[in-house]
Amino acid sequence: MPAEQEVAVLVKRYGIPRADALNIVNTAVSVRSNHAKEELGTTLSTRETLRAARMVAAGYPAAAAMELTYLPLFEGTKAEGERSIVWNAIIAN
């Protein structure tokens, strides 16, 4: 779905601030772009953005929610491998 629609879904479903929803979706868009360029072996679905939004609604900061939701799906560490690409996307947004 388009990014703006995905943001609206997160805000509506979990009542999180729009800024957090934008952060979650922009990071997912970045990861999806890296996957399309074949830099990552897997991508993120709306299911993962919903999980991150649910954690934000429960009180987690958006970056922590994405770290706990997104990073386990990728190989490596925060310093190397696929996980480092995703980590850099998280901290960039």
Side-chain angles (χ1 to χ4, degrees):
M1 81 178 70
E4 273 304 313
Q5 186 178 359
E6 192 170 4
V7 168
V9 167
L10 301 184
V11 170
K12 183 175 182 177
R13 185 168 295 182
Y14 293 107
I16 65 172
R18 181 171 165 69
D20 286 337
L22 274 170
N23 193 358
I24 290 167
V25 171
N26 286 340
T27 300
V29 167
S30 177
V31 169
R32 292 167 185 156
S33 174
N34 284 321
H35 177 260
K37 292 186 276 187
E38 299 183 357
E39 294 174 3
L40 296 171
T42 191
T43 191
L44 296 174
S45 70
T46 302
R47 180 174 292 134
E48 281 83 30
T49 62
L50 287 167
R51 284 186 188 130
R54 185 175 54 224
M55 291 181 75
V56 169
Y60 284 83
M66 289 185 286
E67 179 180 359
L68 293 169
T69 303
Y70 297 172
L71 288 187
L73 301 173
F74 299 91
E75 297 291 327
T77 67
K78 288 182 185 178
E80 60 185 41
E82 290 186 342
R83 198 172 283 184
S84 71
I85 295 169
V86 177
W87 176 246
N88 287 326
I90 291 170
I91 61 174
N93 289 308

